[in-house]
Amino acid sequence: MSNVWLLLSRLFAILHVAHHVNCTPESDSEETYNTYYNYVGLTRRLWSFVEKYPSICSLESVGKSVEGRELWVLRVTAHPERNEPGKPRFRYVGNMHGDEAVSRQVLLYLTEYLLTRYGTEPRVTRLLNSTDIYIMPSMNPDGFEKATEGDCTGSSSTARENAKHVDLNRGFPDQFDQLPRVLERDAPEVTAVMNWTLQKKFVLSGNLHGGSVVASYPFDDSSSHIASGVYSHSPDDALFRYLAQTYAENHPVMKEGRPQCPYDPDEVFKDGITNGAAWYDVPGGIQDFSYLQGNCFEVTFELSCCKYPFASELYTEWNNNREALLTYMEKVHMGVSGYVMTSAGMGLPGANISVAGIDHNITTWIFGDYFRLLLPGTYSITASSSGYLPKTVNNVTVTEDKATLLNFTLNKSSEEMQMPGSLASPVPSRAFSPTVWSFDNQGASTPQPLVQPQDIGHHTYLDMVLFLQQINTVHSSITHLYSIGQSAQGRELYVMEISTNAGIDQPGKPEIVFVGNLHGSDAVGKEMLLILVEYLCSNYGNEALVTRLVNSTRVHILPSMNPDGYEMIFGAQKHFGTNNDFSGGVRYSSNQNTDLSKNFPDQSHGEDFVQLEKAAVMSWMKTHSFVLSASVLGGMIGVKYPNSVDSLDEDVFKLIAEACFVKYSFLQLSQACDLPRPQDRNGINPSAPAGIDMQTWVYRNTGALGFTIGLSCDLYPQAKDLLTYWKQYHVVLLQFIQQVHFSVRGRVTDVQSGQGIANSTIVVEGSRHHVHTSKSGQYWRPLAPGAYEIQAFAPGYSAVVVPVRVSETQVEQVDIGLTPELRTHSEGQLVDKEFQKLLEDLSSTSGLEQLVQSLLPAGMLRYRTYRERSDFLQKLTLTFPHITHLYSLGHSWEFRTIWALEISGNLESPQPTEPKMRYVAGVHGNGAVGPELLLEFAFVLCINYGGNPTITKLVDRSRIVIVPCVNPDGRELAQEGKCFSTAGLTNAHGVDLDTDFLSGSLSVQPETRAMMDLIREGGFSLSVNLEGGSLLVTYPYDRTTQPAHNEETLKYLAMVYAGNHLGMHFGYPGCHNGPESVPGGILRGAEFSNHSGSMKDFSMDMSLCPEITVYTGCCLYPPAEQLLSLWVEHRTSLFAMLLETHKGLSGVVRDKEGQPVSDAVVRVNGSVLVHSDTQGYFHTLLPPGTHQLEIHAQGFQQQLREVNVSSHQVASPLVIKFTESSTRFSQGVVLAAATSIITILLFSLLIWHFHSAKFVRILNGVRWLRQENLQMDPIVSEKSPLRGVFLEESETGGTESPTHKEQ
């Protein structure tokens, strides 16, 4: 039997191990150093690093291989989300040849080593804090997939090369060959790494190979291209030998210089290093390209004789290379480093750093920072930049320990046209005159630029896109091209940002925006802004004014807000030579033209009439901290500003307008434009509500001041006239950019932490115009000269009023510190009462609908790919960092991230009283509407937070978790316009995820497991899952079973959603498939689609969280034009569910001392069970009505309560206080019972002893006493309980004694 148990126990252990292997991917555990990762495993492993260490690493792809595999790069550094000035960039590249596999694994081991030791090991912590490390484990993933483990010599060239049979280390531009070595289509890996190298300007790099054990340094080839034996010196030959030896001397095999490889056992490398060309000639190698064109010092390291050794050797290889890898990285900090700056303190990107006696220069990066590796010694170093006087510093001493700090300040070579220093400095501090220095009265605006605009003419939409993309590619260091949305006909609304380090919120840089082509017939604004883009980019670094503006300002340019209308006009011009008066120029499905320059919503109208283009621009304006905004157009010449503004702000508007136009006599007009007014498009569309123009909307709804700048009387001039208009009026655009710097500026911070407070409000007494701080706490407020009082306030902080005096010659820096509020108990009660009143108002007949209509629309409704959806979520969190948290739940089969976005006003310190709400979509990938509705919902919450008091309070009192797409793989396969297609319904493994939520299953899909983990976390009060294919709401259960114990609650929640939908509650879905009528628009899940393993059933069973499934419409993937109407139908219901989480029943359980009682059980109506948390708090959703409560807690007597739940009121906390403890009574009962049991046990034990051998000896002694005529009666009395025993044993047992007989 024991053998059977032993066999069973071993079998159980084997099954347990197998289960662990199946459930826990190897990539999520610690390294075992005994296996290679293929592409799939490598991808899993890299993503697992990002999930586990998001604060010190990030993952990106720099391109794709021939076969479409991502070229992954892991960035390892403190704060990987941003570029930091003064932090050098280091790179390791591995697996360039597909069959050289050791480097691939060693770099993964290095990554794990760095990540796991950060914060605990000083050396690693110091390295990551001071260095920006990039690790590419595999540059040739296609080749690796073809390689064979154990192949030491690389016998197959197909594995060494890429899928197009190109040796990647022969494909880079070569200094001795002028012709391209390979075509881009044949080696996309080479192109990707070249672009990456040029963009990042790495300081130091290591390229890891296999096939020998040696460090090889530049140059890799010579002009003669002799196969071997020719030493090819680089200008930094001594430095390269030092760097190579640094690695070699820390490698136990390499330092010996005798690899003893089987193919050449006698090969010797002195000190373990070699010149590349001297070893063998390698034309087109990566390390020479990095040095000559990439600003980067690179050395090649051959790690092992065997190119692809068996995995059992990997741990040895890691130990051999670990110290060498770390020491080599640390050399990035040797030599000289610093900044090249202007006299105003702004960094100069692209400036040259040259060292006397060394014929190799490097250039500064985007911040003007540089890192010049040098050996210890004394040097003369020069900094130079076009348009500036060079500067040389002699006798610069360099030591081996750390880089010598050496900053350069360069003066302009031409001083007469310099901007005032205040415009170039992040923190203005000295006087300036904003108008007298830049232009004279003869019309000379700026020095003749070195580069004149070339691409001048009328651009179609496609021409414009190609032009912007070309500019963005050529001038990538100062440009960032992005889309803010789409037009009615699906054209992207592209914006070009021009600034150093574009796309990043930068201290001291105000933002300004230009918008063109609001009217389709107005080509002037569009073409002038395209010329402005080219002008700023082409003359940056060459022309003083342009360079200073780009260095000190973030300029956003939207050339065409109305691309659809322009295409109509362009077609009319082409065919008829006239614009045919398409003044509005945008046509919707209702066949009604709409003028995009008008009808922006004012405070008295909702946003239902707002077109896609306007909605996109409005949300864009709200999410950026723009200071000034300008619509650029034709049909007028001059500057306009809103009619109805506060007198204080009118002075500012006039000052800026005069600075741009009025003060320059050469810009005055002899007569006004005499143009026929276009017909009012609202006359064509009588139903369109009246609105306001764009500049008025900007003034009332954003922190910017809105202007209209007219540059021509013509709307659609001849192409040859465009350059004339540009030369005559571009001074206005440049001067307008400068005006953004003439502001009161500063930073709002938390006085306790010193951190900037995002979205705090700046108000100037006498003005209703509010300015909000950026995400770093910065603000800019243009003001005319005078004395003001500025008030700053933010939610949770006490307001502060600061006096400020603005002069004509001084820009004021006003930093404001806010103190967090300390609420008293009474204030907390007041806040609760305010929130109760708010909820009552929203729950009234039209309260919620009025709120929804008053909100600023996000205007972001369009279908997104996985990448676009990820970018959208990441940008949202960057824009609203204090209320959003984006994190990964896991990955799909094809390694797409399953994102979760949390929105809350208390991300850092959530309160137990804040209900947690879950919104989910995309369980079925072909249900494409749900993900877009949730993204719109998230954006609406964010852009209205801080501006709308109701939304602000809701977000502050809630925790909202949004999972926009559970099945990203399926979503990529779905097809727009296919209402009933099953393409994308399942995941990439062919599994319907809504049948996969089976508790205890060992084979759940990765998407399912990600959601299971989220659900198991618990704490959710309610969940809503958006699907498609019908128009109704279902509630648990989806499987055939008994009704849920809280079915009344579930039905009520489903009714709330359906009742707030515009048509669902009528109960007639009207779909081709499914029920014809559904009373109230709700059904139990099993009655609609009976199946097991659904997400909502799992949510009910595992976390007691009610979940309803909403079917958003009959069509699974309707055309994009229908998204807006679907949003209007569902938005009120989505908000209604958020309100419901604040209702129901809540309370706290305490003992008589007032201490919380955890894990108390609250039974509602005899069935629903709720448990109190560690703080004694409990919450559950209930339908309106009277409910009976039974409250149990161990050690306390049961309590009974009766409560009333209202559909219009917040859940008022119910205090359950156990006034009388039942502990003492219970303890007494237990003690009495224990005493009785012990007594019985002792008595039984005594009886057993009497039957034992010892007691027999006692009886023998008694008999002996009797023989001595001793009397026993006094000893054993008649009442003794043992008397019977004595008698029984003495009188009936054994041989009778003679004495007894005589008696």
Side-chain angles (χ1 to χ4, degrees):
M1 189 67 180
S2 62
N3 291 335
V4 173
W5 281 111
L6 180 61
L7 180 62
L8 288 175
S9 65
R10 290 182 176 177
L11 179 61
F12 175 78
I14 293 172
L15 291 174
H16 177 74
V17 171
H19 168 72
H20 178 76
V21 170
N22 288 331
C23 293
T24 306
E26 184 181 343
S27 61
D28 291 335
S29 60
E30 292 185 359
E31 288 291 354
T32 59
Y33 306 100
N34 61 4
T35 186
Y36 287 96
Y37 293 108
N38 61 12
Y39 174 74
V40 173
L42 174 71
T43 303
R44 287 183 187 271
R45 186 58 172 152
L46 293 174
W47 275 115
S48 73
F49 287 143
V50 177
E51 291 175 5
K52 194 170 184 180
Y53 306 99
S55 63
I56 54 172
C57 72
S58 63
L59 185 64
E60 67 173 338
S61 171
V62 298
K64 289 187 176 182
S65 66
V66 172
E67 295 179 345
R69 294 180 174 91
E70 303 287 353
L71 303 179
W72 294 120
V73 172
L74 196 74
R75 186 180 187 181
V76 183
T77 186
H79 307 297
E81 74 281 358
R82 62 175 185 251
N83 295 320
E84 295 189 56
K87 183 184 280 190
R89 293 157 304 286
F90 179 91
R91 176 182 73 182
Y92 273 131
V93 176
N95 196 211
M96 190 177 192
H97 293 137
D99 58 349
E100 297 171 11
V102 171
S103 61
R104 185 181 172 107
Q105 293 301 127
V106 164
L107 289 181
L108 286 177
Y109 304 154
L110 173 65
T111 299
E112 184 192 49
Y113 184 90
L114 295 174
L115 296 175
T116 56
R117 283 163 174 76
Y118 179 79
T120 59
E121 186 174 304
R123 182 188 189 187
V124 172
T125 304
R126 183 171 56 253
L127 187 62
L128 267 61
N129 284 341
S130 61
T131 317
D132 202 356
I133 302 168
Y134 294 79
I135 296 176
M136 176 184 277
S138 179
M139 184 180 165
N140 188 0
D142 296 350
F144 178 82
E145 296 298 307
K146 300 178 179 68
T148 303
E149 184 175 346
D151 182 2
C152 288
T153 59
S155 56
S156 173
S157 62
T158 58
R160 174 185 175 88
E161 299 165 348
N162 76 347
K164 288 277 191 176
H165 306 295
V166 173
D167 186 328
L168 300 184
N169 205 29
R170 304 295 188 277
F172 287 81
D174 188 79
Q175 60 178 320
F176 303 113
D177 297 328
Q178 299 303 317
L179 296 177
R181 300 192 60 81
V182 296
L183 297 176
E184 181 176 342
R185 66 173 180 268
D186 292 335
E189 302 91 342
V190 170
T191 302
V193 172
M194 284 172 57
N195 292 337
W196 180 44
T197 302
L198 296 175
Q199 177 193 14
K200 291 296 182 181
K201 288 191 177 180
F202 296 104
V203 178
L204 180 61
S205 175
N207 184 19
L208 310 186
H209 284 254
S212 186
V213 186
V214 66
S216 172
Y217 55 88
F219 286 132
D220 252 344
D221 70 339
S222 65
S223 58
S224 66
H225 290 306
I226 296 175
S228 65
V230 177
Y231 196 114
S232 186
H233 293 79
S234 72
D236 284 285
D237 187 71
L239 174 62
F240 274 120
R241 283 189 281 110
Y242 171 83
L243 292 171
Q245 193 161 351
T246 295
Y247 195 99
E249 68 186 12
N250 285 281
H251 190 291
V253 178
M254 195 179 295
K255 69 181 180 181
E256 300 298 329
R258 294 180 178 273
Q260 297 183 340
C261 296
Y263 66 86
D264 191 356
D266 298 327
E267 189 172 35
V268 176
F269 300 105
K270 184 177 182 346
D271 298 324
I273 67 174
T274 183
N275 175 259
W279 188 19
Y280 63 93
D281 195 78
V282 179
I286 185 177
Q287 75 175 5
D288 288 3
F289 169 81
S290 297
Y291 174 63
L292 294 172
Q293 298 188 40
N295 226 55
C296 175
F297 292 77
E298 182 167 307
V299 178
T300 299
F301 304 114
E302 306 279 345
L303 303 187
S304 61
C305 290
C306 183
K307 293 186 175 184
Y308 198 163
F310 288 107
S312 58
E313 300 296 320
L314 287 175
Y315 188 66
T316 299
E317 295 300 337
W318 165 235
N319 282 332
N320 286 344
N321 287 278
R322 181 177 58 246
E323 181 58 32
L325 290 165
L326 293 170
T327 304
Y328 182 74
M329 281 195 291
E330 290 170 332
K331 295 305 175 182
V332 76
H333 294 282
M334 67 182 295
V336 177
S337 67
Y339 293 83
V340 179
M341 299 171 288
T342 68
S343 57
M346 293 301 298
L348 275 174
N352 286 304
I353 301 295
S354 57
V355 181
I358 302 177
D359 188 18
H360 179 74
N361 297 347
I362 64 164
T363 56
T364 57
W365 201 42
I366 56 177
F367 301 107
D369 50 343
Y370 74 93
F371 306 87
R372 209 322 177 173
L373 303 186
L374 290 170
L375 292 174
T378 302
Y379 300 90
S380 294
I381 301 176
T382 300
S384 60
S385 182
S386 178
Y388 293 84
L389 297 173
K391 186 170 186 177
T392 300
V393 178
N394 297 316
N395 300 318
V396 179
T397 300
V398 174
T399 62
E400 189 174 3
D401 296 335
K402 64 178 181 178
T404 300
L405 179 62
L406 178 61
N407 294 329
F408 293 90
T409 299
L410 303 186
N411 295 317
K412 288 292 294 181
S413 56
S414 176
E415 297 292 339
E416 66 272 13
M417 297 305 299
Q418 283 190 9
M419 289 176 61
S422 57
L423 292 186
S425 174
V427 183
S429 59
R430 56 194 177 106
F432 62 89
S433 176
T435 57
V436 299
W437 53 268
S438 193
F439 310 109
D440 60 29
N441 291 333
Q442 304 304 316
S445 58
T446 64
Q448 185 70 13
L450 298 180
V451 181
Q452 286 282 6
Q454 299 296 317
D455 196 353
I456 295 180
H458 291 291
H459 292 75
T460 65
Y461 173 75
L462 181 59
D463 292 337
M464 179 188 74
V465 172
L466 292 175
F467 169 79
L468 292 174
Q469 290 175 343
Q470 181 183 12
I471 291 289
N472 190 51
T473 301
V474 174
H475 303 280
S476 59
S477 64
I478 58 168
T479 58
H480 170 53
L481 183 64
Y482 63 99
S483 171
I484 62 171
Q486 290 183 328
S487 67
Q489 296 179 359
R491 294 180 174 92
E492 298 290 339
L493 303 178
Y494 281 112
V495 175
M496 178 69 84
E497 180 187 349
I498 302 174
S499 181
T500 52
N501 211 19
I504 299 175
D505 183 30
Q506 302 167 63
K509 279 194 178 183
E511 296 184 81
I512 187 172
V513 59
F514 291 103
V515 179
N517 196 209
L518 277 77
H519 292 94
S521 59
D522 177 17
V524 172
K526 173 183 176 180
E527 300 304 335
M528 290 298 104
L529 291 181
L530 290 176
I531 297 173
L532 177 63
V533 168
E534 184 180 8
Y535 182 86
L536 293 176
C537 293
S538 299
N539 290 287
Y540 176 74
N542 300 317
E543 202 279 325
L545 176 61
V546 170
T547 304
R548 290 181 180 274
L549 288 178
V550 174
N551 282 341
S552 60
T553 322
R554 296 180 66 188
V555 183
H556 300 257
I557 299 174
L558 171 61
S560 179
M561 179 179 167
N562 187 358
D564 298 347
Y566 182 84
E567 291 300 292
M568 295 168 61
I569 298 299
F570 187 85
Q573 286 282 351
K574 182 176 180 180
H575 290 92
F576 306 110
T578 175
N579 64 21
N580 283 344
D581 195 28
F582 290 117
S583 302
V586 57
R587 185 176 296 276
Y588 283 81
S589 58
S590 60
N591 289 325
Q592 295 174 336
N593 290 331
T594 304
D595 188 343
L596 294 183
S597 68
K598 301 179 181 179
N599 296 335
F600 276 76
D602 62 13
Q603 298 174 353
S604 61
H605 294 89
E607 80 282 3
D608 289 351
F609 69 95
V610 175
Q611 289 73 38
L612 290 176
E613 298 90 345
K614 287 183 190 173
V617 169
M618 289 161 62
S619 62
W620 175 50
M621 292 283 193
K622 288 287 286 186
T623 54
H624 281 76
S625 300
F626 294 125
V627 183
L628 296 180
S629 166
S631 304
V632 182
L633 45 76
M636 62 166 279
I637 298 179
V639 178
K640 286 173 50 180
Y641 54 85
N643 292 324
S644 178
V645 298
D646 296 319
S647 59
L648 181 151
D649 291 320
E650 187 166 9
D651 293 339
V652 184
F653 278 112
K654 287 181 178 179
L655 193 67
I656 294 175
E658 291 174 358
C660 293
F661 249 102
V662 180
K663 289 189 177 181
Y664 305 106
S665 59
F666 66 92
L667 293 175
Q668 299 305 301
L669 299 175
S670 59
Q671 58 183 11
C673 296
D674 184 16
L675 294 175
R677 288 187 174 273
Q679 184 179 2
D680 188 351
R681 308 318 300 177
N682 286 328
I684 298 176
N685 181 8
S687 62
I692 54 180
D693 57 18
M694 180 175 170
Q695 68 260 34
T696 303
W697 181 87
V698 168
Y699 173 70
R700 293 180 181 177
N701 294 276
T702 75
L705 301 181
F707 293 81
T708 299
I709 299 178
L711 299 180
S712 165
C713 287
D714 293 331
L715 290 173
Y716 201 106
Q718 296 292 319
K720 62 182 178 62
D721 295 329
L722 291 173
L723 183 57
T724 301
Y725 290 133
W726 167 256
K727 288 182 177 180
Q728 187 172 2
Y729 295 117
H730 76 284
V731 57
V732 178
L733 301 179
L734 298 178
Q735 183 68 359
F736 186 77
I737 298 175
Q738 296 175 50
Q739 297 307 305
V740 76
H741 293 276
F742 305 143
S743 307
V744 174
R745 64 182 65 189
R747 193 162 177 256
V748 179
T749 58
D750 184 313
V751 295
Q752 295 181 355
S753 66
Q755 297 295 314
I757 303 174
N759 210 35
S760 53
T761 304
I762 304 295
V763 180
V764 179
E765 184 179 0
S767 171
R768 292 168 294 176
H769 180 68
H770 292 185
V771 173
H772 297 282
T773 56
S774 68
K775 62 184 180 182
S776 59
Q778 298 179 101
Y779 75 92
W780 287 263
R781 187 24 164 125
L783 289 172
Y788 304 93
E789 286 191 343
I790 297 179
Q791 183 185 43
F793 58 89
Y797 292 87
S798 300
V800 171
V801 177
V802 178
V804 60
R805 176 170 291 279
V806 178
S807 67
E808 293 186 4
T809 59
Q810 184 72 34
V811 173
E812 296 296 331
Q813 176 82 18
V814 181
D815 295 325
I816 304 173
L818 298 184
T819 304
E821 292 178 341
L822 298 175
R823 287 179 181 165
T824 64
H825 182 66
S826 59
E827 288 173 336
Q829 291 177 341
L830 178 61
V831 171
D832 287 340
K833 289 181 180 179
E834 290 178 355
F835 190 70
Q836 283 183 344
K837 180 65 167 59
L838 172 69
L839 214 64
E840 290 175 8
D841 293 341
L842 292 177
S843 301
S844 63
T845 305
S846 59
L848 185 56
E849 185 62 33
Q850 290 176 356
L851 168 67
V852 171
Q853 290 184 359
S854 71
L855 296 177
L856 181 71
M860 305 302 291
L861 283 163
R862 62 185 181 90
Y863 290 119
R864 295 173 175 84
T865 64
Y866 164 75
R867 186 176 295 276
E868 291 171 335
R869 189 165 54 251
S870 299
D871 290 344
F872 174 86
L873 291 168
Q874 290 165 354
K875 289 177 181 177
L876 193 66
T877 55
L878 289 173
T879 306
F880 304 98
H882 293 278
I883 61 169
T884 59
H885 170 52
L886 182 65
Y887 58 99
S888 169
L889 299 177
H891 291 90
S892 66
W893 263 95
E894 294 180 346
F895 312 110
R896 294 182 174 94
T897 301
I898 301 171
W899 293 112
L901 175 71
E902 182 173 354
I903 302 175
S904 175
N906 298 299
L907 288 173
E908 301 298 329
S909 55
Q911 301 299 312
T913 55
E914 295 172 2
K916 196 174 178 183
M917 176 75 197
R918 185 171 71 234
Y919 293 94
V920 183
V923 175
H924 295 127
N926 59 342
V929 173
E932 304 310 327
L933 294 185
L934 290 188
L935 293 180
E936 181 80 359
F937 181 59
F939 209 168
V940 167
L941 288 172
C942 290
I943 64 175
N944 286 280
Y945 181 82
N948 185 294
T950 301
I951 293 298
T952 303
K953 290 177 183 177
L954 278 175
V955 172
D956 283 342
R957 297 290 294 264
S958 312
R959 295 181 64 194
I960 305 162
V961 177
I962 296 175
V963 184
C965 192
V966 178
N967 183 4
D969 297 348
R971 175 66 185 81
E972 293 295 291
L973 298 176
Q975 302 171 358
E976 184 175 351
K978 302 293 184 180
C979 288
F980 310 109
S981 172
T982 59
L985 182 144
T986 65
N987 72 345
H989 204 54
V991 175
D992 182 342
L993 297 181
D994 205 42
T995 63
D996 195 44
F997 287 83
L998 299 172
S999 180
S1001 173
L1002 301 181
S1003 59
V1004 296
Q1005 302 300 298
E1007 300 92 341
T1008 310
R1009 183 173 302 282
M1011 286 305 300
M1012 281 181 162
D1013 292 343
L1014 177 66
I1015 292 170
R1016 285 192 181 106
E1017 285 180 9
F1020 289 100
S1021 300
L1022 177 60
S1023 177
V1024 175
N1025 176 30
L1026 301 187
E1027 287 284 0
S1030 190
L1031 188 64
L1032 51 87
V1033 182
T1034 63
Y1035 56 88
Y1037 282 105
D1038 283 327
R1039 64 178 183 269
T1040 302
T1041 184
Q1042 294 295 323
H1045 56 77
N1046 60 339
E1047 181 156 3
E1048 289 303 314
T1049 300
L1050 299 173
K1051 290 176 65 176
Y1052 169 72
L1053 294 171
M1055 288 170 56
V1056 170
Y1057 194 100
N1060 282 279
H1061 187 276
L1062 294 181
M1064 191 182 292
H1065 62 282
F1066 293 120
Y1068 298 100
C1071 300
H1072 180 71
N1073 297 319
E1076 294 183 2
S1077 65
V1078 179
I1082 68 170
L1083 277 176
R1084 190 156 75 93
E1087 297 173 359
F1088 178 69
S1089 175
N1090 186 357
H1091 64 285
S1092 299
S1094 74
M1095 185 170 67
K1096 67 170 171 279
D1097 290 2
F1098 182 85
S1099 179
M1100 280 289 297
D1101 293 339
M1102 295 304 298
S1103 66
L1104 301 178
C1105 172
E1107 179 169 297
I1108 61 172
T1109 302
V1110 175
Y1111 294 85
T1112 58
C1114 299
C1115 185
L1116 288 166
Y1117 201 155
E1121 292 78 14
Q1122 297 181 20
L1123 284 175
L1124 180 60
S1125 61
L1126 287 167
W1127 164 248
V1128 173
E1129 291 174 10
H1130 286 273
R1131 61 186 179 181
T1132 306
S1133 297
L1134 292 172
F1135 277 101
M1137 303 315 292
L1138 180 58
L1139 294 186
E1140 285 302 314
T1141 62
H1142 292 276
K1143 302 177 185 178
L1145 172 69
S1146 67
V1148 62
V1149 183
R1150 298 175 180 157
D1151 62 18
K1152 64 180 182 180
E1153 282 82 25
Q1155 297 301 312
V1157 177
S1158 62
D1159 207 30
V1161 179
V1162 182
R1163 185 184 296 272
V1164 184
N1165 299 328
S1167 59
V1168 180
L1169 297 179
V1170 187
H1171 292 263
S1172 62
D1173 61 17
T1174 56
Q1175 314 232 344
Y1177 180 78
F1178 65 89
H1179 178 239
T1180 187
L1181 301 181
L1182 293 172
T1186 303
H1187 303 275
Q1188 308 298 323
L1189 308 183
E1190 304 170 29
I1191 304 96
H1192 307 266
Q1194 185 176 4
F1196 297 93
Q1197 293 182 350
Q1198 172 183 310
Q1199 287 204 23
L1200 303 177
R1201 293 287 182 91
E1202 182 177 277
V1203 296
N1204 290 313
V1205 174
S1206 169
S1207 63
H1208 289 72
Q1209 293 182 342
V1210 68
S1212 299
L1214 180 68
V1215 179
I1216 307 296
K1217 191 170 185 179
F1218 289 107
T1219 55
E1220 182 178 347
S1221 172
S1222 58
T1223 305
R1224 292 183 180 177
F1225 174 77
S1226 352
Q1227 287 177 346
V1229 172
V1230 171
L1231 182 60
T1235 304
S1236 301
I1237 293 172
I1238 291 173
T1239 302
I1240 294 171
L1241 288 174
L1242 287 175
F1243 180 71
S1244 302
L1245 185 62
L1246 195 54
I1247 292 175
W1248 180 80
H1249 273 291
F1250 274 121
H1251 285 276
S1252 69
K1254 288 184 178 181
F1255 198 65
V1256 170
R1257 289 196 294 270
I1258 295 174
L1259 289 180
N1260 291 336
V1262 171
R1263 295 190 182 102
W1264 178 80
L1265 289 173
R1266 284 186 173 180
Q1267 291 175 358
E1268 295 295 324
N1269 297 318
L1270 297 175
Q1271 297 295 323
M1272 292 297 298
D1273 288 345
I1275 299 175
V1276 184
S1277 68
E1278 294 288 341
K1279 297 181 179 181
S1280 171
L1282 298 181
R1283 182 175 183 275
V1285 178
F1286 275 105
L1287 291 176
E1288 180 182 356
E1289 292 291 335
S1290 61
E1291 294 176 358
T1292 63
T1295 304
E1296 295 181 3
S1297 66
T1299 306
H1300 183 74
K1301 283 184 177 181
E1302 291 176 358
Q1303 288 179 334

